[in-house]
Amino acid sequence: MASWVELDLAALAENLGQLRGVVGASVRVGAVIKGNAYGHGLQACLPALHAHADVLYAIQAQEALAVRALEAERGLEPKQVVVIGAFLPEEAVALAAADVVCVVADASGADAATAVATAGGPPLRVHVHLDTGLSREGFLPEQVASGLAWLADAGDAVRVEGVLTHFADTEDVTEQRQALAQLSAFERGCEALVAHLEALGRPTTLERHAAASAPALVLPQSRFDVVRVGISAYGLWPSRETRLSARQVLGVVPVLRPVLTWRAPIQAVKRVPAGSYVGYGCTHRCSHDTDVAVLPVGYWDGYPRLASGRAHVLVRGARCPVLGRVMMNHIVVDVTGVVGAARGDVATLLGHDAEEQITAEEMAGWAQTIHYEIVTRLGAHLRREVVARAAMPVAVG
Ligand SMILES: *Cc1c(COP(=O)(O)O)cnc(C)c1O
């Protein structure tokens, strides 16, 4: 017995449709597939992501190659695929051969260029990452020419086709002062890049992109040619502030529907007498005779241990507290008063059951983290089940 993840891929399509409506027809919509598709399960989500996004953004080479494998297997038209994370020279050779765009963020691009030139295959398609204020990857605007001096020697092995940046502070705020400063740094960096390419006699037409979900939704001047949406494609708002800003900026709040539901079967129900302790550390003591249900899910599966003593699950449409500590492979919940609760019932850990709902945001609150971490930490080992609609729980044998 194990918990499983249900995926409503129609919601994924609808969310991308909503985002398309927001950014308008002149801006392409790219979906971010990193983190095992934000924990949803890359293999299960990929057909829908491929069908409904214009570009797919991976963090690792292997994710990008998984897209190409799916296309080959199903005879699909190849989509633009971009690796936004770091890669090794040997990965660059494979990515060039697969016609995947790589993001070059520092002088190590020179090693990739050498490897690609030596391999003698197709050129490496490159987007240049500019660090405009996150202090993560990318060239500072004033270092573009020196940081990319090696392009002069790369010859035909490298083609610079785009430029990007990433915002530091668009989710936690309702005023975008930092983002506006980053946009002007981006402008300076783009000018420096174009000047450098011109000096090298290279093409200067560049695809520009900067916006993740929050800026794509609430900062129109950040959208450029294409937006890179992650969390919102999966039906989650980046933050409450983004939702509030969307109402102000767009006049309406787009409808985002969570793609993911997480369920677990009840493996046992029993009554323990008043005074019993529950779980490791004896952190919970039952004040009355208590019907406890044991669920085969724990922190190994991504159920946060910090939610111990705070979390709820849904059983038969009722909220049931998690008693005591979250264990590696188990949680124990209080089903006292849930009429008929029994082995085989399906508990909902995240998602809807009848009128009740547990959101990733709520679980993040219990675990003192953000919903991004809640979903991306869902175990890759959990079974993914594609469902037509978020199904109502039914008993399993
Ligand atoms: C993760 C990421 C995104 C997507 O962010 P969301 O807030 O999930 O939409 C976009 N761009 C880059 C560079 C990222 O790392």
Side-chain angles (χ1 to χ4, degrees):
M1 272 184 152
S3 69
W4 69 89
V5 170
E6 293 174 7
L7 299 168
D8 178 355
L9 297 181
L12 187 60
E14 288 166 24
N15 297 334
L16 287 166
Q18 290 281 310
L19 290 156
R20 247 179 229 294
V22 167
V23 302
S26 62
V27 177
R28 296 194 298 153
V29 174
V32 180
I33 65 170
K34 67 191 180 190
N36 197 26
Y38 282 57
H40 289 58
L42 180 58
Q43 284 306 324
C45 292
L46 201 45
L49 288 162
H50 194 279
H52 298 286
D54 300 316
V55 183
L56 297 171
Y57 293 100
I59 197 99
Q60 287 179 23
Q62 88 207 42
E63 297 161 343
L65 296 174
V67 178
R68 290 289 180 249
L70 176 88
E71 290 167 347
E73 186 189 306
R74 307 219 172 163
L76 302 172
E77 193 69 32
K79 281 261 154 95
Q80 182 175 337
V81 181
V82 181
V83 172
I84 56 177
F87 52 89
L88 297 167
E90 55 266 36
E91 289 173 322
V93 174
L95 292 168
D99 198 30
V100 171
V101 175
C102 292
V103 171
V104 166
D106 54 61
S108 74
D111 303 331
T114 305
V116 170
T118 308
L124 187 64
R125 299 171 60 191
V126 160
H127 289 190
V128 172
H129 201 142
L130 300 178
D131 178 4
T132 58
L134 182 61
S135 298
R136 202 172 72 181
E137 62 260 273
F139 300 96
L140 299 175
E142 49 280 9
Q143 290 174 350
V144 166
S146 58
L148 288 168
W150 53 270
L151 273 181
D153 305 321
D156 296 334
V158 171
R159 280 211 306 254
V160 178
E161 300 181 352
V163 58
L164 67 143
T165 193
H166 191 43
F167 294 105
D169 190 25
T170 49
E171 288 81 14
D172 300 339
V173 292
T174 51
E175 55 77 34
Q176 299 289 342
R177 201 174 338 138
Q178 167 69 8
L180 294 175
Q182 286 193 246
L183 281 173
S184 41
F186 188 49
E187 207 50 56
R188 276 189 284 123
C190 288
E191 280 167 18
L193 179 59
V194 165
H196 185 56
L197 293 172
E198 243 163 22
L200 296 174
R202 304 267 190 141
T204 56
T205 311
L206 300 175
E207 180 174 286
R208 296 180 188 212
H209 47 113
S213 293
L217 283 158
V218 303
L219 191 63
Q221 61 269 52
S222 74
R223 291 176 193 146
F224 296 101
D225 297 316
V226 54
V227 294
R228 307 183 302 258
V229 294
I231 199 89
S232 56
Y234 303 96
L236 303 174
W237 281 86
S239 68
R240 234 175 281 160
E241 288 79 0
T242 308
R243 202 161 188 283
L244 195 62
S245 298
R247 187 186 295 283
Q248 289 163 354
V249 173
L250 307 171
V252 292
V253 179
V255 179
L256 299 178
R257 221 149 52 76
V259 171
L260 179 148
T261 298
W262 189 15
R263 306 211 203 259
I266 291 181
Q267 72 178 62
V269 175
K270 68 184 162 198
R271 175 157 299 181
V272 298
S276 301
Y277 291 105
V278 180
Y280 295 135
C282 298
T283 58
H284 179 83
R285 186 161 189 259
C286 299
S287 60
H288 50 78
D289 291 359
T290 303
D291 293 326
V292 295
V294 182
L295 272 50
V297 60
Y299 56 78
W300 183 59
D301 305 298
Y303 203 91
R305 187 171 176 278
L306 263 179
S308 297
R310 300 195 190 107
H312 300 152
V313 308
L314 306 178
V315 178
R316 298 191 175 220
R319 276 183 179 261
C320 300
V322 172
L323 301 179
R325 287 192 185 150
V326 173
M327 295 167 266
M328 189 184 297
N329 301 99
H330 302 88
I331 57 175
V332 177
V333 306
D334 184 351
V335 293
T336 310
V338 181
V339 177
R343 175 181 164 94
D345 272 10
V346 174
T348 302
L349 311 173
L350 277 180
H352 283 275
D353 179 5
E355 301 303 306
E356 276 287 0
Q357 181 189 13
I358 293 173
T359 62
E361 289 88 343
E362 186 178 16
M363 187 176 283
W366 296 328
Q368 296 170 40
T369 183
I370 56 172
H371 52 315
Y372 283 74
E373 184 175 1
I374 293 296
V375 291
T376 55
R377 282 189 177 277
L378 282 174
H381 60 281
L382 300 177
R383 181 163 53 89
R384 264 70 180 174
E385 205 172 285
V386 174
V387 295
R389 284 267 152 194
M392 278 301 128
V394 290
V396 295

